Amino acid sequence: MMTISADSFDQVVRAFEKAPQIAEQAARLAVNEAARFGRVRASEQMRNEVNWQKGYVDQRLTVAPAKGTALSATITGRWRPTSLSRFLVRAPAKGRAMKVQVRAGGGAKELKRAFPVRLRAGSGRTDSKYNQGIAIRLPKGKQPRNTTAAIELSSTGKSTAWLLYGPSINMVFRDVRYKVDDQIAERLSSEFIRQFARLSNNG
């Protein structure tokens, strides 16, 4: 989660002393514009790092706008890990393993022992559009390595099938938010000045 607030800006404090009602309205408009701007910039940065489609990120990176006298907005990323099937770049076929590419611009990784699974709709185990996941079967007692998350799918006497996941939106957002902080602060400042001037002139 990332909070955008106007409370710490000196220009906002001075404006409240001069014209509190106009300053409050200008701050609320500026905070919401900065939050929307920050969401767009964060989405771009996240897609530069992880092989996600724009629509997937934008649906799971949401803004709760400032309302009333609460002059802060929040950007929140979904916590649920991304099904590894979202990163599939080569489907499995006879004689060849499937491949996934998680990092944007990085190389694809071959999953020699993995296999696709169809999951029951509404199972909550994958966010794939077609309820498809990627699983791997390991000897009993062993867990997958080099994966963001794994959930036990089924188990027999000698082996366990694990459903594999990539990073969540929230996980990546926590890393990239610091790369867009300065841009958001600049947008908040310039937008507050613009809105305060506009509302003052209209008044």
Side-chain angles (χ1 to χ4, degrees):
M1 178 184 293
M2 180 181 191
T3 301
I4 295 93
S5 174
D7 294 341
S8 60
F9 283 80
D10 290 341
Q11 60 199 9
V12 175
V13 175
R14 292 194 298 269
F16 264 92
E17 294 173 351
K18 179 180 179 181
Q21 290 184 334
I22 293 177
E24 181 180 294
Q25 186 177 356
R28 183 168 54 253
L29 292 170
V31 163
N32 288 337
E33 167 59 24
R36 290 189 293 268
F37 170 82
R39 175 182 173 275
V40 171
R41 289 291 177 267
S43 175
E44 292 173 350
Q45 185 65 42
M46 290 165 69
R47 287 180 281 115
N48 286 338
E49 299 189 13
V50 177
N51 187 30
W52 277 317
Q53 293 182 344
K54 182 178 184 297
Y56 181 83
V57 178
D58 290 349
Q59 290 175 11
R60 292 160 178 80
L61 191 65
T62 58
V63 172
K67 295 180 180 179
T69 58
L71 302 181
S72 63
T74 58
I75 305 173
T76 304
R78 187 181 179 184
W79 286 79
R80 185 174 173 181
T82 305
S83 171
L84 198 60
S85 62
R86 286 275 177 185
F87 304 106
L88 190 66
V89 294
R90 190 177 78 182
K94 187 176 181 179
R96 70 176 188 180
M98 68 180 74
K99 284 185 176 182
V100 295
Q101 180 185 338
V102 177
R103 290 295 170 187
K109 181 179 179 181
E110 191 171 69
L111 304 176
K112 295 181 179 180
R113 301 176 62 187
F115 56 93
V117 290
R118 285 280 181 174
L119 301 172
R120 179 171 51 85
S123 66
R125 282 180 162 168
T126 181
D127 59 359
S128 176
K129 182 178 180 181
Y130 302 108
N131 290 313
Q132 177 175 295
I134 294 177
I136 188 169
R137 189 171 293 280
L138 298 173
K140 196 86 168 184
K142 290 191 176 182
Q143 295 186 5
R145 296 183 298 174
N146 301 321
T147 182
T148 301
I151 294 177
E152 184 175 323
L153 187 61
S154 63
S155 183
T156 65
K158 294 183 179 180
S159 65
T160 301
W162 297 88
L163 194 61
L164 304 179
Y165 288 87
S168 69
I169 295 293
N170 178 69
M171 182 184 297
V172 179
F173 179 53
R174 287 198 316 247
D175 291 336
V176 307
R177 54 174 292 184
Y178 301 105
K179 299 180 181 179
V180 298
D181 269 348
D182 290 344
Q183 297 176 54
I184 294 174
E186 290 176 8
R187 187 60 166 253
L188 177 60
S189 177
S190 63
E191 186 65 12
F192 176 78
I193 292 171
R194 186 183 76 83
Q195 293 288 358
F196 186 79
R198 179 183 68 83
L199 293 170
S200 297
N201 291 334
N202 289 344

